[in-house]
Amino acid sequence: MGTAGGLPAPFGRLLRELRQNRRLTIEELAEASGVSGRAIGDMERGRSRRPHRGTITALSQGLDLDEATHVHLLAAARAARPGPQPAEFVKASPYTLPRGVRDFVGREAELTALRALAREAAEGGTARTPFPTAPPAAVVSGSPGSGKTTLAVRLAEEPGASGCPDGAFLVDMRGLDERPLPAGQVVSGLLGSWGVADAELVRLTAEERLARYHEIAAGLRAVLVLDNAGSEAQVRPLLPRQGRLFVVVTSRRTLAGLEGVRRVELGALTRRESAALLRAVVGAGRVDAEPVAADTVTELCGHLPLALRVAANWAATRTNWSLRRLADRLADEDRRLDALSAGDLRVNSAFALSYSRLAPEAARMFRLLSLVPGGDFSVAPAAVLAGVPVPEAEDLLEELLEAGLLMTSRQDRYRLHDLLRLYAGSRHRAEDAEEWSDTARSRLRHWLLDTAVLAGRWYEPDHGMPPPDPGRLVALDDREQAARWIKAESDTWLAALREAAANGEHARVVDLAEAMHWFSDHWVSWGHWVEVYERAAAAGAVLGDAGLEATHRNYLAWAYWACARRHDEAVAAATGALRLAGTAGDVLQQAWSHAYLGWLLDAVDDLPPAARHYQRAMRLFTEADDVNGYLQVSCGVIRVLRAAGRAEAAVETYRGIRETLAEPRHRDRIPPNVREFTVLSAVYAVSFVHLDQGHWQEAADALRSIRGQFDARGWHKQAGKVHLHLAHALARLGERAEAAAEYRAVLVGEDRLPTDIRDEARAGLAALTGGRAAPPTRFAQ
């Protein structure tokens, strides 16, 4: 048996048997594989840790193993892997930094310049102007593969170097994609990461969201990397106007149209920097022993960091081969292969060399990864695409990572550099049959859509937890896991939805959109719900199902207004849905159409018709026996009646809601989350009626009962108003100490609350201190 912590004896025995069967000495296998003789001896004797998959591949190629035997050798090594450990989930922003490279070298002048700018931003300028009009921002430009993102991440992850205690964020602007990321979507996403709840975002126009972004950005001491920008217009709105947020933009273009930014241009590495990168990856001893060969390698890689790293990783695995051998291989590939279609960079030879030395299944995975839509990806989609188990897919991805043909991303995700994606696509087109490619793409599309449906249905009242399935590739054991998957894989399942629509898979489009309906309320800031429901409504029309089309036009009305503030289009969608639902005789969708029209008219203070639509919706929900829809609309009715001055009717509607919730026959029909939210919304709405009437005790009782509940949901504006209005009521009741505490509770969270709420709390506290307890006579909801 092997030593503790080493390889189990079966692997060592198998390796020795394979070597001896081929009549090779350890030294001859070392020469053929590039793996050092000492390492091979340690493996055979069980004295080595489990080798990297790339090392096993090199040994297999040196032994000239067929694919089945290579897989058998891999399995023997994999047996040493520790059993799976439950991963502790750490809640992280979707804009956390990817993992930087461990062996970063060079770019000292550029890094020094960026560090100085980061410190200047963090220090807020000079002592005379502590908050300059705009902090410095930088544009890092350069050719593909020159290391722009690596440099920006290096700066952002340096502990304390940037002087930015509020952290670092990275947004992939997708500037080379057919659909680059719009600035408005970046604003909404970052606001969510900075603690602004979707409930607040729903109520803000695009201009108000941008203003909120700049308000929060002005108070941050952080680094924001806008990676892979495509144009000036994409990033200009995101540059801070004041404060200490240091923005670094990376782009292939110089973005000359951006005013007031400092520019850092990356060219090829110098000879000294290229040699330093080789030393860091391959080892100083090997590089210093062959300076001429090392120079040849760097020249053949064009002194480009990406190509150098790929070539160096190949050499690092083959510790027994000289750098001259690597240089000769690169020269052969350079003569044999054309340059990449992406430009005149001579990086193809480095890619081709590493690719040609991959095991067949790893090479196949590399080619298939060119089909993964979106930016980064996790192990599960790669496993589905390749049709292999998740542990095997993880091994293959790690082999590609070791070869430099794949990069890490945030958390446990991977990404392909766009040059490597182009190269993988070219190999895929050259080596794989079109029918096989279509099958793999279809397998991934169906899995993504099916998984998205299961995850989304966690939020539907009639579904919840999906049925147990030991073969499921991702954990969907609770609503939080489902939400994490939906958000993490949003690029990939949205691309699958687009592909399904293009292929005429209309039922699949509708199923996914329906499954996402309840979840979409929890992620209003995503930016693609309009597209999802436009596609679903179009699919319903093609299917000739008026009721189905009406359903998704109702959802589309919500998306137009809640997500995009397109009021006229929202009204048109709801009106069209009402007409279609009438044609289909669908009472429930007629109810929802009236509910959405009431909501839309309520939003622009057109109260009499809003009230009529709400009340019509309540009658239709009662007719359809849909208690959840009835409850949702009833909360809106309280608001409208209060605005119309019909206080008693508003209070009566509130009592009706409480009675409906208490009915025994509804106990199992109303999901707990719907019940909790209905109570919270209804109490909040009726508290304004009590405040308007000066019923201070009723208002205080109502507000005490929901104190802290908005805070727990991250709905800071509503939470602030609960504390503020409770303070007003308590002040009028003479409960001065508790009132003062509530005013102070507003001021504690001042960085998350609008200015008017904070100012009103300060005025209330000052009045209380001065012996005056006079809250306002109008209370804004």
Side-chain angles (χ1 to χ4, degrees), residues 507-554:
R508 281 189 172 273
V509 171
V510 167
D511 284 348
L512 183 138
E514 178 64 44
M516 289 292 168
H517 168 56
W518 284 80
F519 173 77
S520 59
D521 274 325
H522 299 265
W523 198 24
V524 179
S525 61
W526 180 41
H528 294 287
W529 296 120
V530 167
E531 179 187 351
V532 168
Y533 290 112
E534 282 180 339
R535 291 187 181 277
V542 172
L543 292 170
D545 188 327
L548 193 62
E549 185 181 355
T551 299
H552 291 280
R553 290 207 176 277
N554 274 328

Coordinates of all heavy atoms in Angstrom, one line a residue, residues 507-554:
A507 N -43.7 25.5 -27.3 CA -44.2 25.0 -26.0 C -43.1 25.1 -25.0 O -43.4 25.5 -23.8 CB -44.6 23.5 -26.2
R508 N -41.8 24.9 -25.3 CA -40.8 25.0 -24.4 C -40.6 26.5 -24.0 O -40.3 26.8 -22.8 CB -39.4 24.5 -24.9 CG -39.3 23.0 -24.9 CD -37.9 22.5 -25.3 NE -37.8 21.1 -25.1 CZ -37.4 20.6 -23.9 NH1 -37.2 21.4 -22.9 NH2 -37.3 19.3 -23.8
V509 N -40.7 27.4 -24.9 CA -40.6 28.8 -24.6 C -41.7 29.2 -23.6 O -41.4 29.9 -22.6 CB -40.7 29.7 -25.9 CG1 -40.8 31.1 -25.6 CG2 -39.5 29.4 -26.8
V510 N -42.9 28.8 -23.8 CA -44.0 29.1 -23.0 C -43.8 28.5 -21.6 O -44.1 29.1 -20.5 CB -45.3 28.7 -23.6 CG1 -46.5 28.7 -22.6 CG2 -45.7 29.5 -24.8
D511 N -43.4 27.3 -21.5 CA -43.2 26.6 -20.2 C -42.2 27.3 -19.4 O -42.4 27.5 -18.2 CB -42.7 25.1 -20.5 CG -43.8 24.2 -20.9 OD1 -45.0 24.6 -20.8 OD2 -43.5 23.1 -21.3
L512 N -41.1 27.7 -20.0 CA -40.1 28.4 -19.2 C -40.6 29.8 -18.7 O -40.4 30.1 -17.5 CB -38.8 28.6 -20.0 CG -37.6 29.3 -19.2 CD1 -36.3 28.6 -19.4 CD2 -37.5 30.8 -19.5
A513 N -41.2 30.5 -19.6 CA -41.7 31.8 -19.2 C -42.7 31.7 -18.1 O -42.7 32.5 -17.1 CB -42.3 32.5 -20.4
E514 N -43.6 30.7 -18.1 CA -44.6 30.5 -17.1 C -43.9 30.1 -15.8 O -44.3 30.7 -14.7 CB -45.6 29.4 -17.5 CG -46.6 29.0 -16.5 CD -47.6 30.2 -16.2 OE1 -48.0 30.8 -17.2 OE2 -47.9 30.4 -15.0
A515 N -42.9 29.3 -15.8 CA -42.2 28.9 -14.6 C -41.5 30.1 -13.9 O -41.3 30.1 -12.7 CB -41.2 27.8 -14.9
M516 N -41.1 31.1 -14.7 CA -40.4 32.2 -14.2 C -41.3 33.3 -13.7 O -40.8 34.3 -13.1 CB -39.4 32.8 -15.2 CG -38.2 31.9 -15.6 SD -37.1 31.8 -14.1 CE -36.1 30.4 -14.7
H517 N -42.6 33.2 -13.9 CA -43.5 34.3 -13.6 C -43.4 34.7 -12.1 O -43.2 35.9 -11.8 CB -44.9 33.9 -13.9 CG -46.0 34.8 -13.4 ND1 -45.9 36.2 -13.7 CD2 -47.0 34.7 -12.6 CE1 -47.0 36.8 -13.1 NE2 -47.6 35.9 -12.4
W518 N -43.5 33.8 -11.2 CA -43.5 34.2 -9.8 C -42.1 34.6 -9.3 O -41.9 35.5 -8.5 CB -44.0 33.0 -8.9 CG -45.5 32.9 -9.0 CD1 -46.2 32.3 -10.0 CD2 -46.4 33.4 -8.0 NE1 -47.6 32.4 -9.7 CE2 -47.7 33.1 -8.5 CE3 -46.3 34.1 -6.8 CZ2 -48.9 33.4 -7.8 CZ3 -47.5 34.4 -6.2 CH2 -48.8 34.1 -6.7
F519 N -41.1 33.9 -9.9 CA -39.7 34.3 -9.5 C -39.3 35.7 -10.0 O -38.6 36.4 -9.3 CB -38.7 33.3 -10.1 CG -37.3 33.7 -9.9 CD1 -36.7 33.6 -8.7 CD2 -36.5 34.3 -10.9 CE1 -35.4 34.0 -8.5 CE2 -35.2 34.7 -10.7 CZ -34.6 34.6 -9.5
S520 N -39.8 36.1 -11.2 CA -39.4 37.4 -11.8 C -39.6 38.6 -10.8 O -38.9 39.5 -10.9 CB -40.1 37.6 -13.1 OG -41.5 37.7 -12.9
D521 N -40.6 38.5 -9.9 CA -40.8 39.6 -9.0 C -39.6 39.7 -8.0 O -39.5 40.8 -7.4 CB -42.1 39.3 -8.1 CG -43.3 39.8 -8.8 OD1 -43.3 40.8 -9.4 OD2 -44.4 39.1 -8.7
H522 N -38.9 38.7 -7.9 CA -37.7 38.7 -6.9 C -36.4 39.1 -7.6 O -35.4 39.2 -7.0 CB -37.5 37.3 -6.3 CG -38.7 36.8 -5.5 ND1 -38.8 37.0 -4.2 CD2 -39.8 36.2 -5.9 CE1 -39.9 36.5 -3.7 NE2 -40.6 36.0 -4.8
W523 N -36.5 39.4 -8.9 CA -35.3 39.8 -9.6 C -35.6 40.8 -10.8 O -35.3 40.6 -11.9 CB -34.5 38.6 -10.2 CG -33.1 38.8 -10.6 CD1 -32.3 39.8 -10.1 CD2 -32.3 38.1 -11.5 NE1 -31.0 39.7 -10.6 CE2 -31.0 38.7 -11.5 CE3 -32.6 37.0 -12.3 CZ2 -30.0 38.2 -12.3 CZ3 -31.6 36.5 -13.1 CH2 -30.3 37.1 -13.1
V524 N -36.3 41.8 -10.4 CA -36.8 42.8 -11.4 C -35.6 43.5 -12.1 O -35.7 43.9 -13.2 CB -37.6 43.9 -10.6 CG1 -38.1 45.0 -11.6 CG2 -38.8 43.3 -10.0
S525 N -34.4 43.6 -11.4 CA -33.3 44.3 -12.0 C -32.6 43.5 -13.1 O -31.6 44.0 -13.7 CB -32.3 44.6 -10.9 OG -31.8 43.4 -10.3
W526 N -33.0 42.3 -13.4 CA -32.2 41.5 -14.3 C -32.1 42.1 -15.7 O -31.0 42.1 -16.3 CB -32.9 40.1 -14.5 CG -32.2 39.2 -15.4 CD1 -30.8 39.0 -15.6 CD2 -32.8 38.3 -16.4 NE1 -30.6 38.0 -16.5 CE2 -31.8 37.6 -17.0 CE3 -34.1 38.0 -16.7 CZ2 -32.0 36.6 -18.0 CZ3 -34.4 37.0 -17.7 CH2 -33.3 36.4 -18.3
G527 N -33.2 42.7 -16.3 CA -33.1 43.4 -17.5 C -33.5 42.6 -18.7 O -33.5 43.2 -19.9
H528 N -34.0 41.4 -18.6 CA -34.4 40.6 -19.8 C -35.8 40.0 -19.7 O -36.2 39.2 -20.6 CB -33.4 39.4 -20.0 CG -32.1 39.8 -20.4 ND1 -31.7 40.3 -21.6 CD2 -30.9 39.8 -19.6 CE1 -30.4 40.6 -21.6 NE2 -29.9 40.3 -20.4
W529 N -36.6 40.5 -18.7 CA -37.9 39.9 -18.6 C -38.8 40.4 -19.7 O -39.7 39.6 -20.1 CB -38.6 40.3 -17.2 CG -37.9 39.7 -16.0 CD1 -37.3 40.4 -15.0 CD2 -37.6 38.3 -15.8 NE1 -36.7 39.5 -14.1 CE2 -36.9 38.2 -14.6 CE3 -38.0 37.1 -16.4 CZ2 -36.5 37.0 -14.0 CZ3 -37.6 35.9 -15.9 CH2 -36.9 35.8 -14.7
V530 N -38.7 41.6 -20.2 CA -39.5 42.0 -21.4 C -39.2 41.0 -22.5 O -40.2 40.6 -23.2 CB -39.1 43.4 -21.8 CG1 -39.7 43.8 -23.2 CG2 -39.6 44.4 -20.8
E531 N -38.0 40.7 -22.8 CA -37.7 39.8 -23.9 C -38.3 38.4 -23.7 O -38.9 37.8 -24.6 CB -36.2 39.6 -24.1 CG -35.9 38.6 -25.2 CD -34.4 38.3 -25.3 OE1 -33.6 39.0 -24.7 OE2 -34.0 37.4 -26.1
V532 N -38.2 37.9 -22.4 CA -38.8 36.6 -22.1 C -40.3 36.5 -22.4 O -40.8 35.6 -23.1 CB -38.5 36.2 -20.6 CG1 -39.3 35.0 -20.2 CG2 -37.0 35.9 -20.4
Y533 N -41.0 37.6 -22.0 CA -42.5 37.5 -22.1 C -42.9 38.0 -23.5 O -44.0 37.6 -24.0 CB -43.1 38.3 -21.0 CG -43.0 37.5 -19.7 CD1 -42.2 38.0 -18.7 CD2 -43.5 36.2 -19.6 CE1 -42.0 37.2 -17.5 CE2 -43.3 35.5 -18.4 CZ -42.5 36.0 -17.4 OH -42.3 35.2 -16.3
E534 N -42.1 38.7 -24.2 CA -42.4 39.0 -25.6 C -42.3 37.7 -26.4 O -43.2 37.4 -27.3 CB -41.5 40.0 -26.2 CG -41.8 41.5 -25.8 CD -40.8 42.5 -26.4 OE1 -39.7 42.1 -26.7 OE2 -41.2 43.7 -26.5
R535 N -41.3 36.9 -26.2 CA -41.1 35.7 -26.9 C -42.2 34.7 -26.5 O -42.8 34.0 -27.3 CB -39.8 35.0 -26.5 CG -38.6 35.8 -27.1 CD -37.3 35.1 -27.0 NE -36.1 35.8 -27.5 CZ -35.8 35.8 -28.8 NH1 -36.5 35.1 -29.6 NH2 -34.7 36.5 -29.2
A536 N -42.6 34.7 -25.2 CA -43.7 33.7 -24.8 C -45.0 34.1 -25.4 O -45.8 33.3 -25.8 CB -43.8 33.7 -23.3
A537 N -45.3 35.4 -25.4 CA -46.6 35.9 -26.1 C -46.6 35.5 -27.5 O -47.7 35.1 -28.1 CB -46.8 37.4 -25.9
A538 N -45.5 35.7 -28.2 CA -45.4 35.4 -29.6 C -45.6 33.9 -29.8 O -46.2 33.4 -30.8 CB -44.1 35.8 -30.2
A539 N -45.0 33.1 -28.9 CA -45.2 31.6 -29.0 C -46.6 31.2 -28.8 O -47.1 30.3 -29.5 CB -44.3 30.9 -28.0
G540 N -47.3 31.9 -27.9 CA -48.7 31.6 -27.7 C -49.6 31.9 -28.9 O -50.5 31.1 -29.3
A541 N -49.2 33.0 -29.6 CA -49.9 33.4 -30.8 C -49.7 32.3 -31.9 O -50.6 31.9 -32.6 CB -49.5 34.7 -31.3
V542 N -48.4 31.9 -32.1 CA -48.1 30.9 -33.1 C -48.9 29.6 -32.8 O -49.3 28.9 -33.7 CB -46.6 30.6 -33.2 CG1 -46.3 29.4 -34.1 CG2 -45.9 31.9 -33.7
L543 N -49.0 29.2 -31.5 CA -49.7 28.0 -31.1 C -51.2 28.1 -31.3 O -51.9 27.1 -31.2 CB -49.3 27.6 -29.7 CG -47.9 27.2 -29.4 CD1 -47.6 27.1 -27.9 CD2 -47.6 25.8 -30.1
G544 N -51.7 29.3 -31.5 CA -53.1 29.5 -31.7 C -53.9 29.4 -30.5 O -55.1 29.1 -30.6
D545 N -53.4 29.6 -29.3 CA -54.0 29.5 -28.1 C -54.3 30.9 -27.5 O -53.3 31.5 -26.9 CB -53.2 28.6 -27.1 CG -53.9 28.2 -25.8 OD1 -54.7 29.0 -25.4 OD2 -53.6 27.2 -25.3
A546 N -55.5 31.4 -27.6 CA -55.8 32.8 -27.2 C -55.6 32.9 -25.7 O -55.1 33.9 -25.2 CB -57.2 33.1 -27.6
G547 N -56.0 31.9 -24.9 CA -55.8 32.0 -23.4 C -54.4 32.0 -23.0 O -54.0 32.8 -22.1
L548 N -53.6 31.2 -23.7 CA -52.1 31.2 -23.4 C -51.5 32.5 -23.8 O -50.7 33.1 -23.0 CB -51.5 30.0 -24.2 CG -50.1 29.6 -23.8 CD1 -50.0 29.1 -22.4 CD2 -49.6 28.5 -24.8
E549 N -51.8 33.0 -25.0 CA -51.3 34.3 -25.4 C -51.7 35.4 -24.4 O -50.9 36.3 -24.0 CB -51.7 34.7 -26.8 CG -51.1 35.9 -27.3 CD -51.5 36.3 -28.7 OE1 -52.3 35.6 -29.3 OE2 -51.1 37.4 -29.1
A550 N -53.0 35.4 -23.9 CA -53.5 36.3 -23.0 C -52.6 36.3 -21.7 O -52.3 37.3 -21.1 CB -54.9 36.1 -22.7
T551 N -52.3 35.1 -21.2 CA -51.5 34.9 -20.0 C -50.2 35.6 -20.1 O -49.8 36.4 -19.2 CB -51.3 33.4 -19.7 OG1 -52.5 32.8 -19.5 CG2 -50.4 33.2 -18.5
H552 N -49.5 35.4 -21.2 CA -48.2 36.0 -21.4 C -48.2 37.4 -21.8 O -47.2 38.2 -21.5 CB -47.3 35.1 -22.3 CG -47.0 33.8 -21.7 ND1 -46.0 33.6 -20.8 CD2 -47.7 32.6 -21.8 CE1 -46.0 32.3 -20.4 NE2 -47.0 31.7 -21.0
R553 N -49.3 37.9 -22.4 CA -49.4 39.4 -22.6 C -49.7 40.1 -21.2 O -49.2 41.2 -21.0 CB -50.5 39.7 -23.6 CG -50.1 39.3 -25.0 CD -50.8 40.1 -26.1 NE -50.3 39.6 -27.4 CZ -49.1 40.0 -27.9 NH1 -48.4 40.9 -27.3 NH2 -48.7 39.6 -29.1
N554 N -50.4 39.4 -20.3 CA -50.5 40.0 -19.0 C -49.1 40.1 -18.3 O -48.8 41.1 -17.7 CB -51.5 39.1 -18.1 CG -52.9 39.5 -18.3 OD1 -53.2 40.7 -18.6 ND2 -53.8 38.5 -18.2

